[in-house]
Amino acid sequence: MQDKMSTAELREAALEYHSTPGKGKISVTPIKPLSNQRDLSLAYSPGVAYPCLDIRDNPALAAEYTARANLVGVVTNGTAVLGLGDIGPLAGKPVMEGKACLFKKFAGLDVFDIELAERDPDKLVDIIAALEPTLGGINLEDIKAPECFYIERKLRERVNIPVFHDDQHGTAIIASAALINGLELVGKRLGEIKLVSSGAGAAAIACLDLMVHLGVSPKNIYVVDSKGVVYQGRAGGMDESKARYAQDTSARTLGDVCEKADVFLGCSTAGVLTQDMVRSMADRPIILALANPEPEIRPELAREARPDCIVATGRSDYPNQVNNVLCFPYIFRGALDCGATKITEDMKLACVREIADLAKADISEEVSNAYAGRELSFGADYIIPTPFDSRLILRIAPAVAKAAVASGVATRPIADYEAYRQNLTRFVYQTGMIMRPVFVAARAASKRRVVFAEGEDERVLRATQLSLDERIATPILIGRPAVIETRIAKAGLHMRLGTDVECVNPESDVRFRQYWEAYHRLMGRNGVTPEAAKAAVRRSNTLIGCLALHLGDADAMLCGMVGRFDHHLSHVQDVVGRVPGAPGFATLNGLMLPNRTLFIADTYVNEDPDAELLAHTALMAATEVQRFGLPPKVAFLSHSNYGSSTRGSALKMRQARNIFRQLAPQIECDGEMQGDAALSESLRQATLMETTLSGEANLLVCPDLDSANILFNVLKMCGGQGITIGPMLLGVRSPVHVLTPSATVRRILNMTALVAASAARGG
């Protein structure tokens, strides 16, 4: 029953996600101003004629004057959609829009999703090839085998832009990287292993082809499809892609060929690999069970049968996720940036090597902070990087571009690869994906007890359900049980009070005496009598939550969804207190904007901080930014640029910058500066050539509460679509965040993950 309810909730949430506030998941947005007659004359007639004529005379200039060099077409006919099968092109459109989002978020690539109502392979080739003037690259998606092989091959022959069938090659690249590293761990050679493939579709054949290219011997590969083992002379015929792996063997079943196999490659269906088959495999077998959403065998079952095995799946809830997003955004990024006309085998192999090597690379401070609580060291549970490793684009795209040059297919070779890598960092820090590592960190640690002061609020209840589904926290709700249960039922949630979530009843909890006595001990010398302590605890859920944290009944707390921020903060200050040495509390808010992620301090606490407090606030905020896996770049904002004003606020920000430089000389910072200069290196250099900040600032420190709060709220509505992180309370002794009445379910969930991850780190 619970699974059915959970599926129903997922369906409702997914349909709401896809339909509100705008329809679908993508839009086309102009990137040039069109606000006056001059702009119109440049964007369209008569000015547009000049780039048109230049492109006519030199087609390569299309990469300079149009968006083509950053535009990928995700093309499907809907015949093999994402575990749903032949549902047609229109029904497949949400998947293609989703793929567009991944291209944009991970690699900054624009996408036209193109769904074609055509099943004839030759007609498909004609239609797609005719799109070449529009697109910089073509990502074929969800086209059934064997037609997909033919379509890709014909397109590669006809067009001079990269063509990549991700279902084939993306899976092949990640699986090959996993194979290389797995074999290194078990001490086996590619040329000597016996490999069994369950499945002979597009992904399986592409995996085998690439693995053969890496050194696996075709004579040691055994393929099993829905009819059994692919063997020479099998009745009924088979297409050429299967036929080249037909073996002269008497084996007829998957169980027959699994005996003494070193590697199992699964691109088939759930549950086909049994524990007995795993037991029959060679010592230290490698199992790549890639069927989705349910693998050919669950890792725990495989390890129960063979504790010495190494397992990878396509699922995010197990180690070693073979996820195409590790590859396709970055191989296209490198290919388009060097003007590649094709994606060659050498480019794919470069991608394989970089992914394999990254799993063995030292973990940077940013990555370590982002994945706190999870062991990211090369071994049986870490043979491929995580999909949200920020270093993927920095390694794969340049390697692919170099391989394109070596293959002779790069029309715009990159001259300075170090400068290119530096340029790629903008995609690392502008993706809007920064919450994912926080969720990973919260999920990886043992579940931390997060107490929600407003436990009766429907937003809190929905976020609580999501936190349970995501397995990021053990929730504790403060509120009346009868009210909570009524609202759980009304919202259609499936969590159970007393089983999935703990409840603290502010009217009759057995811990009431313990809590008010603890509060009296803390506040007795501040005029709080026993009777006043009892009354305070009775009427404030936030105070109850603070005391639960103080007494060890919880690990972290969220409050503030109802009432004034300052009122909640006063209880946090009285009971939880500040970190020793912290000069005071402050707040930090994050904004996930379309082209960047910005953090703004101090948005809620200090009305007019002095330079010393601003510098320490910046230091606390920079530490918090590092926990997202981002290197902080601090800008001290002002109406003044580097001494252009002698007003008090400008002098204060200049002094704050100087103090911060002494406190944290290793962190990039500059100021005082205006807001546009903080985001533009060229503007800074025009004023001061020796600026101590490179690229864009991502942490903006404002001179007072008004300016910080106004800046945050305007940006939230104008550019952030309301997607924010925070307020994050800085300087507090234990993980506590005071939110605001405008908090959405999504923001509460984000903050739950953040506070749980902080609790796992110990603060």
Side-chain angles (χ1 to χ4, degrees):
M1 183 65 178
Q2 184 169 326
D3 287 342
K4 289 182 180 178
M5 292 180 68
S6 180
T7 301
E9 286 176 25
L10 177 62
R11 172 184 168 80
E12 181 183 351
L15 293 178
E16 181 183 6
Y17 176 88
H18 282 80
S19 61
T20 59
K23 309 303 182 186
K25 298 191 286 289
I26 59 175
S27 67
V28 177
T29 304
I31 60 171
K32 298 293 172 64
L34 196 61
S35 55
N36 53 46
Q37 184 60 40
R38 181 178 183 277
D39 291 344
L40 182 61
S41 68
L42 295 174
Y44 202 55
S45 182
V48 74
Y50 297 105
C52 290
L53 293 171
D54 282 0
I55 293 169
R56 179 199 62 185
D57 297 335
N58 180 6
L61 288 175
E64 185 71 22
Y65 298 138
T66 76
R68 181 175 182 257
N70 197 58
L71 182 61
V72 175
V74 174
V75 184
T76 190
N77 67 350
T79 52
V81 177
L82 188 67
L84 301 174
D86 187 353
I87 62 173
L90 184 60
K93 186 174 177 66
V95 178
M96 303 310 118
E97 288 189 357
K99 195 66 174 279
C101 292
L102 295 177
F103 269 111
K104 187 67 174 180
K105 290 294 186 181
F106 282 95
L109 290 164
D110 295 318
V111 166
F112 286 161
D113 66 294
I114 302 169
E115 295 78 27
L116 300 174
E118 181 56 69
R119 303 176 75 89
D120 182 278
D122 289 308
K123 290 182 179 179
L124 271 172
V125 170
D126 288 340
I127 295 168
I128 298 168
L131 295 169
E132 183 178 359
T134 298
L135 305 171
I138 296 168
N139 184 93
L140 299 174
E141 192 78 14
D142 294 347
I143 301 173
K144 71 183 179 72
E147 288 92 332
C148 60
F149 303 116
Y150 175 82
I151 292 166
E152 184 187 41
R153 184 173 71 250
K154 287 296 183 183
L155 284 172
R156 285 167 58 88
E157 293 170 358
R158 286 183 56 174
V159 302
N160 285 311
I161 56 176
V163 179
F164 188 78
H165 185 207
D166 183 46
D167 299 331
Q168 295 181 58
H169 307 301
T171 302
I173 286 168
I174 313 306
S176 295
L179 177 64
I180 288 172
N181 281 347
L183 291 177
E184 180 177 330
L185 285 171
V186 300
K188 297 181 182 180
R189 298 176 182 273
L190 277 164
E192 299 171 357
I193 61 169
K194 176 183 176 182
L195 187 151
V196 172
S197 173
S198 174
I205 296 299
C207 287
L208 296 177
D209 289 348
L210 190 56
M211 289 170 181
V212 167
H213 205 85
L214 285 166
V216 177
S217 173
K219 69 180 182 181
N220 294 334
I221 294 175
Y222 294 82
V223 176
V224 182
D225 64 10
S226 59
K227 297 177 182 178
V229 174
V230 174
Y231 62 90
Q232 293 176 8
R234 191 175 80 171
M238 62 189 78
D239 62 79
E240 184 275 333
S241 63
K242 287 185 190 179
R244 63 176 174 268
Y245 290 108
Q247 294 285 8
D248 183 7
T249 177
S250 60
R252 294 295 182 264
T253 68
L254 180 60
D256 293 339
V257 293
C258 275
E259 189 172 349
K260 299 301 181 185
D262 299 287
V263 178
F264 172 86
L265 170 65
C267 296
S268 54
T269 191
V272 297
L273 185 66
T274 68
Q275 287 186 305
D276 285 341
M277 293 177 192
V278 174
R279 291 187 188 98
S280 75
M281 294 177 72
D283 291 342
R284 303 194 74 187
I286 296 170
I287 298 171
L288 308 177
L290 309 184
N292 243 331
E294 186 64 29
E296 285 79 2
I297 187 169
R298 287 268 184 151
E300 61 269 23
L301 296 177
R303 292 197 178 99
E304 183 181 275
R306 289 293 298 274
D308 61 342
C309 70
I310 294 176
V311 188
T313 72
R315 294 174 60 116
S316 62
D317 52 350
Y318 288 107
N320 300 325
Q321 184 192 12
V322 176
N323 188 328
N324 290 9
V325 82
L326 284 163
C327 161
F328 70 80
Y330 315 122
I331 198 167
F332 268 101
R333 181 78 269 165
L336 267 63
D337 287 343
C338 71
T341 57
K342 287 178 171 49
I343 292 179
T344 65
E345 287 301 307
D346 284 343
M347 293 162 74
K348 289 188 283 186
L349 291 173
C351 199
V352 171
R353 286 191 290 268
E354 290 300 327
I355 292 169
D357 288 347
L358 184 55
K360 294 178 281 189
D362 291 338
I363 301 299
S364 67
E365 181 181 2
E366 286 82 13
V367 173
S368 177
N369 285 330
Y371 288 88
R374 180 170 175 183
E375 184 65 32
L376 297 183
S377 59
F378 183 52
D381 285 337
Y382 187 67
I383 58 174
I384 44 178
T386 64
F388 295 94
D389 193 320
S390 60
R391 298 167 297 174
L392 284 162
I393 191 173
L394 305 180
R395 296 184 64 137
I396 293 175
V400 167
K402 284 183 179 179
V405 173
S407 301
V409 298
T411 61
R412 299 189 304 275
I414 292 167
D416 185 340
Y417 280 97
E418 184 54 40
Y420 177 54
R421 286 189 187 89
Q422 289 299 317
N423 189 46
L424 289 171
T425 60
R426 74 187 192 278
F427 300 119
V428 175
Y429 307 127
Q430 295 176 7
T431 62
M433 303 293 285
I434 61 169
M435 283 307 301
R436 296 311 306 168
V438 175
F439 276 79
V440 171
R443 199 179 294 121
S446 57
K447 293 182 182 178
R448 300 293 163 165
R449 299 164 298 167
V450 178
V451 60
F452 296 87
E454 290 84 9
E456 296 177 5
D457 190 292
E458 184 176 330
R459 294 167 298 168
V460 171
L461 294 175
R462 291 188 179 277
T464 298
Q465 182 66 71
L466 291 170
S467 71
L468 288 168
D469 295 341
E470 293 268 3
R471 301 186 306 281
I472 59 172
T474 299
I476 302 171
L477 300 175
I478 302 178
R480 294 162 293 176
V483 174
I484 293 174
E485 287 183 329
T486 298
R487 291 178 180 173
I488 287 174
K490 181 181 177 182
L493 307 178
H494 61 264
M495 61 185 177
R496 295 160 298 175
L497 213 58
T499 302
D500 302 313
V501 291
E502 182 183 343
C503 179
V504 176
N505 187 345
E507 295 180 342
S508 61
D509 194 271
V510 295
R511 290 164 289 194
F512 174 66
R513 182 182 183 89
Q514 180 187 11
Y515 281 13
W516 75 254
E517 286 181 346
Y519 184 58
H520 179 250
R521 283 194 298 273
L522 289 169
M523 302 298 293
R525 291 188 176 274
N526 291 301
V528 176
T529 65
E531 290 304 313
K534 291 177 186 178
V537 174
R538 286 267 189 224
R539 65 174 176 259
S540 174
N541 287 9
T542 293
L543 182 53
I544 293 171
C546 289
L547 289 164
L549 197 59
H550 174 71
L551 294 171
D553 293 339
D555 301 305
M557 185 180 78
L558 292 180
C559 61
M561 273 67 76
V562 177
R564 292 176 55 240
F565 183 94
D566 291 344
H567 180 71
H568 294 281
L569 184 63
S570 66
H571 288 312
V572 174
Q573 183 167 347
D574 290 343
V575 177
V576 182
R578 297 201 303 262
V579 172
F585 292 130
T587 50
L588 178 70
N589 276 82
L591 282 157
M592 290 182 272
L593 302 171
N595 296 314
R596 57 182 56 85
T597 296
L598 291 178
F599 293 87
I600 301 171
D602 164 24
T603 45
Y604 284 98
V605 177
N606 299 293
E607 183 176 359
D608 187 16
D610 60 21
E612 185 80 24
L613 182 54
L614 281 169
H616 281 88
T617 295
L619 182 58
M620 292 189 293
T623 301
E624 196 69 27
V625 170
Q626 286 174 326
R627 291 177 174 175
F628 288 93
L630 302 180
K633 296 188 175 187
V634 185
F636 290 87
L637 299 187
S638 173
H639 67 277
S640 169
N641 250 352
Y642 301 125
S644 64
S645 169
T646 57
R647 289 189 174 97
S649 64
L651 297 175
K652 177 176 75 170
M653 298 310 287
R654 194 181 315 170
Q655 185 183 359
R657 177 263 182 187
N658 293 337
I659 296 170
F660 181 82
R661 289 276 289 173
Q662 295 175 348
L663 293 172
Q666 77 282 5
I667 298 176
E668 286 191 38
C669 74
D670 215 337
E672 86 281 13
M673 68 174 70
Q674 295 171 352
D676 53 355
L679 302 180
S680 171
E681 189 167 24
S682 61
L683 281 178
R684 291 196 301 275
Q685 290 180 339
T687 305
L688 185 68
M689 294 179 63
E690 296 181 357
T691 176
T692 53
L693 176 66
S694 64
E696 288 190 2
N698 57 15
L699 173 52
L700 309 180
V701 181
C702 296
D704 55 40
L705 185 148
D706 281 344
S707 58
N709 190 278
I710 291 168
L711 175 62
F712 164 68
N713 280 297
V714 169
L715 285 177
K716 176 181 71 175
M717 298 310 297
C718 294
Q721 299 176 323
I723 302 174
T724 67
I725 311 165
M728 292 166 269
L729 187 59
L730 308 176
V732 65
R733 183 186 294 268
S734 298
V736 176
H737 294 307
V738 181
L739 307 188
T740 61
S742 64
T744 61
V745 172
R746 181 171 180 175
R747 195 189 311 174
I748 297 169
L749 179 63
N750 282 343
M751 296 305 292
T752 303
L754 187 63
V755 79
S758 296
R761 282 192 300 263

